Amino acid sequence: VIGHIEKGLNVLIGIGENDTEKEVAWCHDMIVNTKLWPDQDGKQWKLSVKDLNLGVLLISQFTLYGKHQKKGKLDFHKAMSPQTARELYNSIIQTVVNTLGSTNTQAGEFGAMMEVSIVNDGPVTIIYDS
């Protein structure tokens, strides 16, 4: 097991060919500050992962940039090259660690084949696209 959290967010991160540190900052803000949980009165969409001191599991996922071509073929040309993407992925990890701490921030291995198990409490699935 590379990374594991209990309650919190599982974030699949696709890094596009034109992404920069500006997108890293934007993603960090969305990850830690989006209000996804109810408050103590049960009012939905009031508390963030940061507010509740929850975990975040970050997983690099270049296939999010896959586009369908003719005959079912996939094109990944909009994904950033692996070396540069690795640097931005590590930057995203570090910004989240700086906010939530290393205990609450876990990450998958960049570029590795991984088996990911997710228990979706909701269901709530959000797409952030900077």
Side-chain angles (χ1 to χ4, degrees):
V1 174
I2 301 289
H4 174 268
I5 62 169
E6 293 296 325
K7 188 171 184 173
L9 298 177
N10 179 51
V11 182
L12 302 176
I13 300 172
I15 300 174
E17 63 185 348
N18 297 317
D19 288 345
T20 66
E21 287 292 332
K22 179 181 174 187
E23 283 75 27
V24 168
W26 185 89
C27 286
H28 163 266
D29 185 53
M30 294 295 105
I31 291 166
V32 302
N33 292 314
T34 298
K35 311 286 188 195
L36 298 170
W37 286 273
D39 65 12
Q40 55 273 20
D41 297 325
K43 292 182 182 173
Q44 192 55 272
W45 317 112
K46 297 293 183 185
L47 299 173
S48 69
V49 70
K50 182 171 74 173
D51 296 333
L52 294 169
N53 197 33
L54 299 177
V56 173
L57 177 59
L58 303 163
I59 301 169
S60 66
Q61 189 71 24
F62 81 94
T63 59
L64 291 171
Y65 277 92
K67 289 198 138 201
H68 290 277
Q69 300 290 311
K70 293 179 182 177
K71 298 182 181 179
K73 198 172 180 184
L74 288 172
D75 175 12
F76 298 104
H77 286 93
K78 296 291 183 183
M80 184 175 279
S81 66
Q83 183 55 39
T84 311
R86 179 187 308 267
E87 292 170 14
L88 287 180
Y89 175 65
N90 288 335
S91 184
I92 293 170
I93 294 168
Q94 191 57 54
T95 63
V96 176
V97 166
N98 291 345
T99 301
L100 301 179
S102 58
T103 302
N104 283 347
T105 308
Q106 299 290 306
E109 182 179 341
F110 183 88
M113 293 293 291
M114 293 178 280
E115 290 184 20
V116 179
S117 296
I118 303 168
V119 176
N120 197 354
D121 180 18
V124 175
T125 302
I126 309 293
I127 297 173
Y128 298 124
D129 187 351
S130 63

